[in-house]
Structures are given as structure tokens and as C-alpha cells.
Amino acid sequence: MRDPGISVVICVYTEDRWEDILAAVSSVRAQSYPALETLLVVDHNPALRDRLAREYKETEGVRVLPNAGPRGLSAGRNTGIVASHGDVIAFLDDDAVAERDWLRRFAEGYADPRVMAVGGRTVPIWASGRRPAWFPEEFDWVVGCTYKGLPSGRVRVRNVLGGNASFRRTAFDAAGGFATGIGRDGDRRPLGCEETELCIRLTRARPDAVLLIDDRAVIHHRVPAPREHFAYFRTRAYAEGLSKALVARSVGAGKGLESERRYTTRVLPAGVARGLRDALLARPGGAGRAGAIVAGVLSAAGGYLVGSVRVRRGGTTFSVAPVHWDSEPPRGSAEAPPGGAGPSGGRGVPADAVERDGRGGERDQGGIDE
């Protein structure tokens, strides 16, 4: 199989991250495995869109696009997916920079035609210059980074993390795009789990699909000062519980929570024990880390309970849109699903693209994120 062409999508929404955005694009342009194109999708911010368009007017391979859907990260990603031309679509956060071999490691993973997604390792860059003593590595997912407890190397996983991930183009033929109504929406409550839901939906549509994380595909993610505080830690853990309730209600608790059960019964107790041991040895932050793990679990559990009640009452919905490509994929693109087209018989129109009501029902036909 030939080396895949990779489109990189970076979703942006605020001029406050201007320098971060420029750094993200520069890191993509410096890859040892060149990107086919870089798509900057601007989330309903005309001033930022115009400024970026001027910045990259003369830059080959960089396109600036407005989010064609509702406000939010999921719709922005879907806009990039539809506009892309690569065999593989990779996603990079707008406040992250990729190491030089990031795309090369992704490309290597797709040598196996069964692989539908490859994610990487995300390392935090703390605004204060170092990790807060109380902040447990087991909860680095709170700040969008790889957390302690994930296996090392190139391993098979239930889902990848969206800020450092890639998908084969045909994955979106099979499963549709990212669900809107789950993930982040500008500066609202820091929800998540859209990657989890998509990956579970993908493996249901393609039971033979393999999803990988390769910890050599590294990006460095900026953690702003407010996210180093316990108030954000607790809020983000609570929001994760809310999101997880919606996903579990849609796909079933068995699949929606299988990774979380291992995490809470194995990884977190070990983290508490290490924190208490460090406290007994008078090491800085030991008691704080143990306490933060307990508080994080309770916050997430509280969010899950509240979210479950809301879902049962029908107060929370999300939508899964079909993917209609702007153009046909490049000649010789990655293998399509069996039959040579999407499961509905036409490219880019998945048969299971539906609006979910949070109870697992279909309304209109059309780990912890790890």
C-alpha cells in the first residue's frame, strides 16, 4: 500500500491564541512527512478568519475556512473533514505543536489496511513552567493530555484523543462525522467525549476496524494558567461525567464505560496509594494528589448522575451528520469499505447517520477519552 496523503485540520476560534495558532501551523509545515494540506477552520469569528486569510494568503498548502456548521469544535472538525483531500485526516489542537515525526508515525500506522484511526501522545506545557505539585498525572486528560495509565508503545485502544488523532478518510464514509451537541462549544462548560462516541460508532459500523495509539506521535499542548487551578480541575471532571452519561446512554454503558471501569478500579487506586506513600515520606504534593484523585472521581460521578437524569428526561440530544465530500478523494486513496462505497451505497452518506436522543433511539434517518 502506498504512503497515504495526510490532510491536517486545526480548528480555531479566538484571536487570543494567535501566536499559538501560528506555532501550530509552523509545526505542521516542518514535518519530516509533509502534510498534503493544512486546513484552518475558524469557528464563527469573521475577524480571525480574515486575519488568518491575510496571514496565509501567499502560503502554499494552507487554507482558511469558516465553520460551515453550528458553533463548536465538532462542527468545525466536520467542516475540515468535508473540505479535505487526503487519504487520512489528522487533527491538531490550535494551542499545540507537533514534533517533527508526528505525521510520519501516523502514516506508519496505516500500513495495515484494517487501521481506521491512529492517535498519539500529548505532553502538557504548563503555564507556570512545571506541573502543580497537587495535580495527578492520572488526570492529565483534564487538560487534554495523555494520562498515566495508558499503555506505552503502539497499542490498540477503544478510542483516540481528538486533539492528537487521525482517521482514515473511509472511516467517515462508514460512521459519519463528529457528533454535535457533545463536545466543546466556545467558552461554555468544558465538555468532551465526542471522540469516544465517534470511535465507538466507527467500530460498530466496521467491526474489523483497528484503532491505535502510537506514543511516538508526540505533540506538546499548552496548559493556560487558569487550568492549573483546582476549580478548573473539578469543573472539567464534572463536565466529563455529563458527557459520558450521554455517550453511555446512546451506545450502552457496557461499551461506553468499559475503559473507565478499568481506569477507576486499577489506575486511580494505585495513584491514591502513591500519593499517600509520598505524603508519609514527606514528599511535596503527595497528599494533594491523593485528595485530587478522590475529588476528581466524585466530581465525575456527580456529573454522570446528573447527566443520566437529564438524558432520561429527554433534555439532552446530539446529532450525527452524514459526510458529503466537496470532491472525490484523490485517485488511489485508501481502501473503501467492502463494496467500494459507503454502507448506504453512495460515497460519504453513511446509513447510520442519525440524530440521537440520548436514549439510544433514532429520531431522523439521514476515556475517560483514551
Side-chain angles (χ1 to χ4, degrees):
M1 179 176 290
R2 70 181 182 85
D3 292 338
I6 303 180
S7 300
V8 177
V9 174
I10 304 173
C11 295
V12 304
Y13 72 98
T14 176
E15 289 183 90
D16 293 342
R17 292 186 176 180
W18 178 257
E19 295 299 328
D20 291 335
I21 296 168
L22 299 186
V25 174
S26 293
S27 74
V28 174
R29 290 176 56 78
Q31 290 294 299
S32 62
Y33 185 103
L36 179 68
E37 59 187 346
T38 302
L39 304 168
L40 287 168
V41 182
V42 184
D43 193 16
H44 298 273
N45 186 334
L48 175 58
R49 183 190 65 207
D50 292 345
R51 187 179 179 186
L52 286 169
R54 291 192 299 270
E55 178 72 23
Y56 292 107
K57 182 178 180 180
E58 305 297 331
T59 305
E60 184 178 356
V62 178
R63 287 194 283 155
V64 179
L65 309 169
N67 179 1
R71 186 181 300 275
L73 180 58
S74 290
R77 287 173 174 166
N78 290 339
T79 297
I81 291 166
V82 169
S84 68
H85 296 93
D87 306 323
V88 170
I89 299 111
F91 299 93
L92 179 66
D93 277 347
D94 63 346
D95 53 356
V97 292
E99 291 192 359
R100 180 170 170 77
D101 290 334
W102 177 59
L103 290 182
R104 183 175 299 281
R105 299 308 182 188
F106 281 172
E108 290 171 355
Y110 290 104
D112 182 343
R114 299 173 302 163
V115 173
M116 289 286 113
V118 183
R121 177 162 57 95
T122 302
V123 179
I125 305 173
W126 302 95
S128 62
R130 62 181 181 179
R131 173 186 298 275
W134 63 269
F135 203 112
E137 292 182 43
E138 291 83 358
F139 272 78
D140 277 5
W141 57 264
V142 164
V143 292
C145 295
T146 302
Y147 58 91
K148 189 178 186 68
L150 281 176
S152 59
R154 183 192 289 170
V155 294
R156 190 167 182 171
V157 292
R158 180 193 64 182
N159 63 274
V160 296
L161 293 172
N164 180 10
S166 64
F167 292 84
R168 201 182 289 275
R169 186 180 184 91
T170 50
F172 301 108
D173 286 334
F178 288 91
T180 58
I182 298 180
R184 287 181 180 266
D185 179 0
D187 294 324
R188 295 184 183 180
R189 188 185 299 276
L191 300 172
C193 293
E194 64 271 30
E195 300 92 2
T196 304
E197 191 277 332
L198 171 61
C199 289
I200 294 173
R201 183 164 21 101
L202 172 59
T203 52
R204 285 186 167 181
R206 293 286 302 271
D208 62 329
V210 174
L211 282 63
L212 302 174
I213 283 182
D214 188 336
D215 65 6
R216 300 171 300 169
V218 180
I219 70 169
H220 298 264
H221 177 72
R222 187 179 298 280
V223 181
R227 298 188 183 184
E228 294 187 7
H229 297 159
F230 182 71
Y232 179 83
F233 177 92
R234 184 176 55 191
T235 299
R236 177 67 183 89
Y238 178 80
E240 182 75 9
L242 290 175
S243 300
K244 198 65 69 178
L246 182 56
V247 171
R249 192 69 172 176
S250 175
V251 304
K255 191 67 176 176
L257 298 177
E258 63 178 356
S259 295
E260 289 71 19
R261 290 191 181 96
R262 293 194 298 270
Y263 173 76
T264 55
T265 59
R266 299 180 188 178
V267 176
L268 295 186
V272 171
R274 278 191 299 271
L276 295 176
R277 180 199 61 196
D278 288 348
L280 291 173
L281 295 174
R283 294 172 179 168
R289 290 193 299 274
I293 291 174
V294 173
V297 170
L298 293 176
S299 296
Y304 184 82
L305 290 174
V306 171
S308 297
V309 171
R310 290 179 181 176
V311 167
R312 283 196 296 270
R313 292 176 177 175
T316 307
T317 64
F318 66 91
S319 300
V320 177
V323 175
H324 299 280
W325 304 109
D326 277 355
S327 61
E328 284 295 309
R331 184 178 300 275
S333 64
E335 180 184 355
S344 63
R347 170 170 292 279
V349 187
D352 64 344
V354 298
E355 186 175 358
R356 300 287 183 182
D357 62 6
R359 297 185 294 273
E362 298 180 0
R363 292 174 61 181
D364 293 306
Q365 196 70 11
I368 306 305
D369 300 342
E370 74 170 26

